[in-house]
């Protein structure tokens, strides 16, 4: 409700922002367009999601539900262990409920195995890794190659 402007929600308004075109926008049209065009993607993370998934999915204004795999895994006592049967069971329970409610399922993959897991479980909104990790891996690869060539 705090993502949308009234009358649909309770979001405050500052017309002096880039999204409001620094007060050059027609406010009535801006608000209607904003509310209509806004993509709402709640991030589901933690064991509490398992206990409350049905209530969470009652929010029909959401577009995509994004499962935070790392947060989910640590909250069930297996940090980062996505191969664990305990994690797989928890993830699938949430994913099946999301998809069964007609929503789009999203999550993050940091390797090809996780990417396949997400696709196999119906995810269609997938982010791959994080920019800092991609940059680190790239520079590590370059540094390794440089050291290898330099040592010839």
């Amino acid at each position: 409700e705090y993502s949308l402007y009234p009358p649909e929600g309770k979001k405050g308004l500052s017309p002096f922002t880039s999204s409001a075109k620094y007060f050059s926008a027609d406010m009535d049209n801006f608000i209607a367009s904003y509310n209509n065009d806004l993509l709402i993607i709640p991030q589901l993370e933690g064991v509490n999601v398992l206990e409350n998934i049905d209530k969470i999915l009652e929010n029909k204004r959401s577009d995509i539900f994004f499962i935070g795999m790392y947060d989910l895994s640590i909250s069930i006592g297996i940090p980062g262990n996505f191969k664990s049967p305990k994690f797989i069971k928890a993830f699938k329970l949430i994913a099946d409920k999301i998809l069964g409610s007609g929503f789009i399922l999203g999550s993050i993959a940091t390797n090809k195995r996780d990417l396949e897991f997400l696709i196999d479980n119906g995810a269609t909104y997938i982010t791959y890794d994080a920019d800092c990790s991609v940059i680190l891996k790239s520079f590590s690869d370059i540094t390794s190659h440089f050291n290898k060539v330099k040592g010839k």
Side-chain angles (χ1 to χ4, degrees):
E1 73 186 79
Y2 291 100
S3 298
L4 301 168
Y5 291 112
E8 295 177 59
K10 295 181 180 181
K11 180 178 176 68
L13 174 65
S14 173
F16 309 105
T17 62
S18 61
S19 66
K21 300 184 177 137
Y22 301 104
F23 208 50
S24 67
D26 170 347
M27 281 296 118
D28 290 336
N29 287 331
F30 165 74
I31 289 170
S33 293
Y34 180 94
N35 283 351
N36 185 58
D37 297 342
L38 182 65
L39 186 67
I40 298 178
I41 309 172
Q43 183 155 333
L44 308 180
E45 42 192 45
V47 71
N48 61 327
V49 172
L50 293 167
E51 300 159 0
N52 297 298
I53 188 64
D54 293 321
K55 181 142 181 69
I56 292 167
L57 293 173
E58 289 175 5
N59 178 354
K60 299 302 179 191
R61 181 54 181 87
S62 296
D63 300 289
I64 299 168
F65 284 92
F66 191 95
I67 300 175
M69 292 174 53
Y70 285 94
D71 290 320
L72 177 60
S73 70
I74 197 166
S75 76
I76 59 175
I78 47 171
N81 186 353
F82 305 145
K83 294 178 184 176
S84 163
K86 187 176 181 181
F87 174 82
I88 292 168
K89 180 180 178 184
F91 184 94
K92 286 186 176 200
L93 183 144
I94 297 168
D96 289 347
K97 294 268 188 170
I98 291 168
L99 295 169
S101 296
F103 291 107
I104 295 170
L105 170 62
S107 195
I108 185 171
T110 58
N111 57 58
K112 293 175 185 172
R113 190 197 73 76
D114 292 346
L115 181 62
E116 289 177 24
F117 172 79
L118 293 175
I119 292 169
D120 290 346
N121 283 283
T124 54
Y125 181 86
I126 301 170
T127 60
Y128 193 86
D129 222 336
D131 55 356
C132 56
S133 179
V134 170
I135 292 168
L136 177 63
K137 289 174 188 173
S138 178
F139 276 111
S140 294
D141 183 51
I142 291 166
T143 302
S144 176
H145 182 71
F146 174 79
N147 288 334
K148 182 177 158 187
V149 171
K150 187 175 89 172
K152 284 184 178 180

